[in-house]
Amino acid sequence: MKTLENMTTIEQMEEVSAKLRERACEVCAETWEDRNKKQSPHCKFGEDGICCKNCSMGPCRITPRADRGICGADAHAIAGRNYLRTVAAGTSAHSDHARELLHILHGASAGGNYRIRDEQKLLALAKEYGVPVEERDIYAVAHEVAEAGLAEFGKTFGHQNFIKRATAERQRVWREQGIEPRAIDREIATSLHMTHMGNTADAEALIRQGLRTSLSNGWGGSMLGTEVSDILFGTPTVRTTEGNLGVLEADMVNIVVHGHDPAFSEMVVAAAELREMAEYAKGKGARGINIVGLCCTANEVAMRHGVRMAGNFLQQENAILTGAVEMMCVDVQCIFPALAPLSECFHTKFVTSSPIARIPGSTYIEFRPDTAFDQAKELVKMAIDNYQNRDRDKVYIPSAKQSAVVGYPCEQIIKHLDGVANSRTDVFGTYRPAIDAIKAGVLRGAVAIVGCNNPRVRPDYSHFEIMKELLKNDILIVATGCAAQVATKAGLLNRDAKHICGAGLRRVCELVNIPPILHMGACVDISRMMLLATGIARDWEVDTTQIPVVGCAPEWMSEKAVSIANYVVSTGLDVYLGIEPQVKGSSQMMELITEGTRKITGAGYIINTDPHELVKSIIDGIEAKRAALGI
Ligand code: SF4
Ligand code: MSK
């Protein structure tokens, strides 16, 4: 039985980090903690979002003495424009990730590096796009589907195709509010155009464009990214794995894959699994090859292969500080440039692979779809050759690790619910067993906990405190990204974690045979959560804004997170934030993100940097939704 006592506490995680930091001092390396100290206190203008450098008359800052920039833009215009640019950047990151994958799908072939792993999902998408499938080669279908997907980026007319997946009420809201997302590239370009010097100065118009742009991500780019990943690499299934730095092995060649795009990590994992590679590693004195993941790449490869997870965002330097990593291979997003100088303090080879993420001091090997597998084999061989360079005196692998059950996309959730529906065939393939549990009050609701960790607060602490409290209150959690990794490190993705839940949630976990936190994937997979909420709302015959389901990002940090928060709000779900968005210098913007969007989409942000107060407001919010539904 797993009780709170045999979980890994935040204090234990911090103890490990402190030890690793001591080692950083010994090798004269710097970590994010050192740099964070040097950056504190942070620039108040930046924090409040009231610094503008959108033209070379500036930069202009709003101060008690200067309430407008040289052009006359006030605090609301400046904070609003900065905020919209953040949404556009986040949307571009997730969507470009999808575009890369679509190009890979377009080049996929039966004998090539990339093949179709989920034909059913491909055929379903073909049907949705109106691509003919009868008597056609599956790859011909795949290529046409890829073209249709790529067209979503630059379509001349019309809106994102996937918005038809939303509830009828959502579609009506988006249409009537004028926030139906058009071409993905167009929304990003429009956002940059609107925020160019001499254009929009109206905060509400900027917020509206933020909602529309984010929808082209959540119901466009991100959703495409997830769909295509499933088609190419398989829709995830439930697997048992392990997480935290203890997954590194003292007598094996350790390779860390880090970033977001599974096209790269999938190849490295496949190459490392080759018998010839294992033999080669043995020939070099290692017991074998140990591939582990970091950040969202960890989520991708854990869900599809059971690859173990070394940790989340702020743990990336810690992995190298163990002195036991032969190679860290990265693709895109959330990669510290600091990894390059840090690797030089050890024998670690730091390999970058994408023209999107070029980092000085790294070994750059541009990954190409047509040569991907051979390149991956070369990389694995290079890592094995590096094993002999490991300095045993510098190695410290913390023992902490926890077992975890991962891989709950919507398909797996439905499958598990079918398992408890018994002879009630009328509820097969629906979320109705879960809805019944919510209506009966056995489950109070669900929270999607997502996002990063962030030195602005005690890293991981807010996640852990919020998760524990929600579970105690019979609220099921679905998690992605680095939030899912906190749950992994703590031991909350374990089926035994049901023992820290309230009686109702515990009963549900036992009946359905699930852990109380369902791992749904990487940050791009928050699109899965939108489909989950939509499916629940549809089976309930209400709109998404009515169901007792909300989003929470306790420690978010990236521009992607701002885009995500906007599309979750657009989908009608409240978002609880533990880090303040950088718009505090504008009363109008603060009002718009917390209350103003409610008039547009029916949802908004609730912001509180105290995790205990934040979780209390989440529970109150869920109870209020229940009361409004009369349950
Ligand atoms: Fe200053 Fe206006 Fe130029 Fe911004 S756009 S830097 S507020 S003059
Ligand atoms: S990796 S965006 S730190 S979740 Fe997706 Fe983690 Fe946040 Fe990056």
Side-chain angles (χ1 to χ4, degrees), residues 94 258-260 294-297 299 311-314 316 332-335 450-454 463 480-485 521-524 526 555-561 564:
H94 269 158
H258 170 22
H260 283 78
L294 252 172
C295 276
C296 278
T297 288
N299 295 316
N312 52 2
F313 179 61
L314 287 178
Q316 53 188 294
V332 292
Q333 301 167 17
C334 301
I335 299 146
V450 303
C452 329
N453 50 6
N454 189 328
H463 281 287
T480 59
C482 290
Q485 301 270 344
C523 47
V524 77
I526 296 170
E555 303 180 26
W556 68 274
M557 64 85 202
S558 73
E559 291 166 313
K560 288 180 292 175
I564 293 165

Side-chain angles (χ1 to χ4, degrees), residues 38-307:
K38 290 183 202 163
Q39 285 294 339
S40 301
H42 293 270
C43 165
K44 188 86 176 78
F45 297 102
E47 247 176 10
D48 289 353
I50 48 173
C51 171
C52 178
K53 54 177 183 60
N54 292 9
C55 86
S56 73
M57 292 192 284
C60 298
R61 302 177 304 183
I62 301 301
T63 67
R65 194 171 74 81
D67 62 355
R68 287 180 185 269
I70 294 167
C71 66
D74 62 10
H76 314 302
I78 293 174
R81 295 192 309 210
N82 289 338
Y83 184 75
L84 178 54
R85 285 194 165 209
T86 304
V87 175
T91 301
S92 74
H94 269 158
S95 303
D96 215 33
H97 164 153
R99 186 180 349 231
E100 295 288 332
L101 288 167
L102 281 158
H103 280 292
I104 287 180
L105 182 64
H106 195 257
S109 64
N113 287 320
Y114 295 96
R115 301 176 199 167
I116 306 303
R117 300 262 183 243
D118 189 337
E119 266 192 43
Q120 222 186 327
K121 200 157 228 179
L122 171 66
L123 295 175
L125 189 55
K127 193 171 167 212
E128 205 170 339
Y129 281 155
V131 170
V133 299
E134 296 304 324
E135 291 173 31
R136 289 187 78 190
D137 175 68
I138 194 74
Y139 284 93
V141 175
H143 300 159
E144 204 175 326
V145 164
E147 279 167 24
L150 286 165
E152 293 297 298
F153 286 80
K155 66 204 307 181
T156 323
F157 302 105
H159 302 105
Q160 286 299 296
N161 243 307
F162 287 151
I163 60 174
K164 295 192 203 103
R165 294 178 170 192
T167 61
E169 175 60 10
R170 268 305 96 189
Q171 294 181 54
R172 183 192 66 75
V173 167
W174 295 341
R175 188 170 53 249
E176 288 181 5
Q177 292 295 336
I179 56 169
E180 281 177 306
R182 301 162 297 178
I184 299 165
D185 290 348
R186 179 172 185 189
E187 297 306 359
I188 295 166
T190 298
S191 298
L192 295 181
H193 188 185
M194 279 177 79
T195 54
H196 185 277
M197 192 274 157
N199 284 328
T200 298
D202 176 70
E204 187 182 329
L206 295 163
I207 281 287
R208 281 179 180 276
Q209 177 58 19
L211 296 173
R212 180 155 69 167
T213 305
S214 74
L215 279 169
S216 77
N217 175 8
W219 292 82
S222 275
M223 207 169 267
L224 270 165
T226 296
E227 292 275 335
V228 178
S229 294
D230 287 356
I231 290 168
L232 283 169
F233 311 119
T235 301
T237 50
V238 175
R239 288 166 197 275
T240 302
T241 181
E242 289 181 321
N244 213 346
L245 288 173
V247 301
L248 293 169
E249 299 288 348
D251 55 356
M252 295 176 89
V253 175
N254 291 305
I255 302 176
V256 182
V257 284
H258 170 22
H260 283 78
D261 183 348
F264 175 56
S265 46
E266 283 282 332
M267 288 294 132
V268 180
V269 170
E273 280 170 356
L274 292 173
R275 180 190 286 265
E276 63 184 86
M277 289 296 165
E279 293 303 324
Y280 189 65
K282 280 185 190 140
K284 297 281 176 175
R287 184 160 60 86
I289 305 161
N290 181 38
I291 293 261
V292 299
L294 252 172
C295 276
C296 278
T297 288
N299 295 316
E300 297 276 3
V301 289
M303 297 199 293
R304 295 197 175 91
H305 303 282
V307 167

Side-chain angles (χ1 to χ4, degrees), residues 249-541:
E249 299 288 348
D251 55 356
M252 295 176 89
V253 175
N254 291 305
I255 302 176
V256 182
V257 284
H258 170 22
H260 283 78
D261 183 348
F264 175 56
S265 46
E266 283 282 332
M267 288 294 132
V268 180
V269 170
E273 280 170 356
L274 292 173
R275 180 190 286 265
E276 63 184 86
M277 289 296 165
E279 293 303 324
Y280 189 65
K282 280 185 190 140
K284 297 281 176 175
R287 184 160 60 86
I289 305 161
N290 181 38
I291 293 261
V292 299
L294 252 172
C295 276
C296 278
T297 288
N299 295 316
E300 297 276 3
V301 289
M303 297 199 293
R304 295 197 175 91
H305 303 282
V307 167
R308 299 184 298 166
M309 303 180 275
N312 52 2
F313 179 61
L314 287 178
Q315 209 153 319
Q316 53 188 294
E317 289 173 309
N318 281 357
I320 291 181
L321 285 168
T322 63
V325 173
E326 274 58 55
M327 179 177 283
M328 179 163 311
C329 309
V330 302
D331 49 83
V332 292
Q333 301 167 17
C334 301
I335 299 146
F336 278 1
L339 295 183
L342 184 60
S343 299
E344 278 168 19
C345 300
F346 296 87
H347 72 304
T348 308
K349 287 207 179 301
F350 176 49
V351 178
T352 48
S353 63
S354 167
I356 303 290
R358 297 291 308 263
I359 298 177
S362 64
T363 304
Y364 180 60
I365 298 176
E366 190 171 321
F367 224 53
R368 296 180 189 279
D370 49 340
T371 51
F373 192 54
D374 287 338
Q375 286 180 293
K377 283 199 284 189
E378 275 309 303
L379 284 177
V380 172
K381 199 164 164 289
M382 198 194 287
I384 297 169
D385 288 336
N386 198 23
Y387 181 68
Q388 66 195 24
N389 298 324
R390 190 191 289 182
D391 179 347
R392 264 68 192 165
D393 294 337
K394 281 188 185 171
V395 173
Y396 164 63
I397 302 178
S399 57
K401 65 178 172 189
Q402 290 278 0
S403 70
V405 183
V406 299
Y408 289 94
C410 297
E411 292 85 345
Q412 286 292 313
I413 295 175
I414 291 274
K415 191 173 159 210
H416 278 72
L417 292 175
D418 283 353
V420 292
N422 298 323
S423 54
R424 291 179 57 203
T425 48
D426 59 316
V427 303
F428 273 11
T430 74
Y431 294 103
R432 282 188 35 211
I435 294 168
D436 290 347
I438 297 174
K439 283 185 178 168
V442 182
L443 271 187
R444 305 306 292 176
V447 179
I449 303 196
V450 303
C452 329
N453 50 6
N454 189 328
R456 281 190 166 263
V457 291
R458 189 176 165 189
D460 294 340
Y461 176 74
S462 300
H463 281 287
F464 198 28
E465 292 301 294
I466 290 169
M467 286 173 179
K468 279 186 301 186
E469 196 58 21
L470 292 176
L471 298 184
K472 215 166 78 190
N473 282 278
D474 293 325
I475 294 170
L476 181 87
I477 297 172
V478 289
T480 59
C482 290
Q485 301 270 344
V486 180
T488 308
K489 290 194 290 183
L492 292 169
L493 286 191
N494 193 297
R495 287 195 184 93
D496 276 352
K498 65 181 179 231
H499 294 292
I500 69 155
C501 301
L505 178 56
R506 186 161 64 240
R507 179 89 192 98
V508 170
C509 291
E510 278 162 0
L511 216 68
V512 191
N513 192 26
I514 50 169
I517 301 183
L518 301 181
H519 178 285
M520 289 193 85
C523 47
V524 77
D525 292 325
I526 296 170
S527 59
R528 296 190 202 273
M529 292 172 162
M530 297 305 94
L531 294 176
L532 175 66
T534 299
I536 293 172
R538 208 170 256 149
D539 291 340
W540 200 319
E541 296 180 3

